[in-house]
Amino acid sequence: MDKKPVVVVNGLVRKDALAYLREHVEVRQWIEKTVMPREELKEWLKEADGLWSVRPLDVDGDLVKDAPNLKVIAQAAVGYDNVKIDELTEAGIPYGNTPTVLNETVAELAFTLICTASRRILESMEFVTSGRWEQRPSNIKGKDLSRRTLGIIGMGAIGVSISRRARAFGMTVLYHNRHPRKDDALYMTTYKELDELLALSDVVCVMAPLTDETYHMCDESFFKKMKNDALFVNVGRGPIVDTDALVNALNSGEIDYAALDVTDPEPLPGDHPLLQTSKALVTPHIGSYTDRTRYDMTILTADNIIAGVHKKPLPACVNEEINYK
């Protein structure tokens, strides 16, 4: 009987996805609640055919340099800012992520933040739960979404899904990408240069990936270009935003409110100045956090690994140029 390929899992993952993976490979898993020491992981990888990467983990050439049998690395996430793709490509290791399966779920969360923050739902609920129904002050009066403008920064598949919801609410949708899309007419969106988008948008939603170019893109200058009564939303990555600049913009009245599912730092301490502004709605990075979507993400991760250890094409490969044929 042929020996099954060995796959290392450096942390805890869904049991149903792990059971599915075990049907195809031998799994060696770090089951402690503490983060697996990097040097110990490197020892495990010396005999491994695949790695299911569990954050927090920096995946780079150093991690895999002494892993001669390693054929694939996959992670249950779309973003891969913790992965040096060029170094894995140089090492000949395909890297799998989980695009598409979470698009609608993240879009739902982004638009929920937009609606909740615009209508100041949490503050209004606080008046009910504290027995002050009739004392609601005028400064938490909500804003309509219809006949207002949404500006999306990073118009990928999730951005398109957000724009569809916004148009259903009667919003005009602008967007900014590195390059204009060719299907603007299909999605009824309009490309704008960044400065013009910021000046025109009542709601600015960041959906861009974290790169060297987008790191701290939302800085002091960025917020000064927004409308004073604008809502700022980030469902992309925390470090895209200079958090100190955001706090100053909220406190000074340069912008009206912020709704964030990602922050920098993350997790955000309970006593952080951002939470003291009384102008921020923050959720703990739950964009894809539904049972169905997390199941789909982990099953796709398992499928990426199963394919890779058998040198078959990964269903979702970031460095497609070295994907197996």
Side-chain angles (χ1 to χ4, degrees):
M1 183 177 179
D2 293 337
K3 185 177 182 294
K4 285 184 176 182
V6 175
V7 172
V8 170
V9 183
N10 67 297
L12 302 177
V13 299
R14 285 182 64 117
K15 293 180 180 179
D16 46 10
L18 196 63
Y20 171 61
L21 183 64
R22 289 185 191 277
E23 295 175 7
H24 302 271
V25 303
E26 178 185 334
V27 173
R28 188 176 185 191
Q29 183 185 21
W30 179 262
I31 59 173
E32 305 297 330
K33 293 183 179 180
T34 56
V35 174
M36 185 177 188
R38 185 176 177 87
E39 292 306 311
E40 187 164 0
L41 174 58
K42 290 167 73 171
E43 284 296 317
W44 284 25
L45 290 178
K46 289 180 179 180
E47 306 297 328
D49 297 282
L51 168 64
W52 182 320
S53 171
V54 179
R55 291 195 187 208
L57 176 64
D58 291 328
V59 179
D60 53 24
D62 171 71
L63 184 70
V64 304
K65 66 180 180 180
D66 295 320
N69 299 322
L70 200 60
K71 302 174 182 67
V72 61
I73 298 176
Q75 184 170 275
V78 175
Y80 44 88
D81 46 276
N82 63 313
V83 182
K84 300 291 187 183
I85 297 295
D86 56 340
E87 295 181 14
L88 293 188
T89 300
E90 185 176 347
I93 301 173
Y95 172 80
N97 66 338
T98 59
T100 69
V101 295
L102 49 63
N103 290 352
E104 296 302 322
T105 306
V106 176
E108 285 178 7
L109 188 278
F111 205 73
T112 297
L113 289 178
I114 292 170
C115 293
T116 303
S118 293
R119 295 302 299 269
R120 304 295 287 270
I121 299 297
L122 294 186
E123 292 89 337
S124 294
M125 180 179 174
E126 168 63 21
F127 276 89
V128 175
T129 58
S130 63
R132 297 180 294 150
W133 181 307
E134 297 179 352
Q135 298 176 30
R136 289 172 296 166
S138 60
N139 67 339
I140 64 164
K141 189 179 295 178
K143 292 184 172 69
D144 295 306
L145 292 179
S146 64
R147 293 173 293 172
R148 301 183 81 213
T149 299
L150 169 64
I152 300 174
I153 301 173
M155 193 65 160
I158 300 174
V160 168
S161 294
I162 295 170
S163 74
R164 190 173 66 247
R165 289 163 172 79
R167 287 186 289 107
F169 272 66
M171 300 188 78
T172 298
V173 180
L174 312 177
Y175 77 94
H176 178 77
N177 262 356
R178 286 175 295 178
H179 307 288
R181 297 176 63 102
K182 297 180 180 180
D183 49 12
D184 281 7
L186 175 64
Y187 296 114
M188 299 176 64
T189 57
T190 304
Y191 174 85
K192 295 290 184 182
E193 293 297 340
L194 183 58
D195 286 359
E196 188 177 7
L197 179 145
L198 295 177
L200 294 173
S201 298
D202 301 294
V203 180
V204 173
C205 183
V206 176
M207 291 305 309
L210 177 61
T211 65
D212 290 342
E213 290 73 26
T214 62
Y215 175 80
H216 277 196
M217 173 181 69
C218 304
D219 57 9
E220 180 179 354
S221 173
F222 179 101
F223 293 116
K224 286 182 181 297
K225 294 170 184 174
M226 290 176 59
K227 293 182 177 182
N228 293 142
D229 62 349
L231 165 65
F232 175 75
V233 181
N234 185 14
V235 192
R237 282 289 185 265
I240 293 175
V241 178
D242 180 337
T243 306
D244 290 342
L246 174 59
V247 171
N248 291 337
L250 291 168
N251 283 331
S252 67
E254 285 177 355
I255 65 173
D256 184 55
Y257 206 83
L260 315 171
D261 186 48
V262 290
T263 59
D264 185 23
E266 193 171 298
L268 193 71
D271 60 352
H272 193 278
L274 178 64
L275 302 178
Q276 311 308 314
T277 64
S278 300
K279 296 181 177 181
L281 165 61
V282 181
T283 53
H285 204 152
I286 58 172
S288 64
Y289 199 61
T290 68
D291 186 68
R292 182 182 68 182
T293 295
R294 287 300 176 94
Y295 173 79
D296 290 343
M297 291 170 67
T298 53
I299 292 298
L300 179 52
T301 303
D303 282 338
N304 276 330
I305 290 171
I306 292 165
V309 296
H310 292 102
K311 293 190 174 182
K312 295 181 179 180
L314 276 62
C317 185
V318 174
N319 46 353
E320 186 63 43
E321 65 272 25
I322 63 166
N323 196 4
Y324 298 110
K325 305 301 181 185

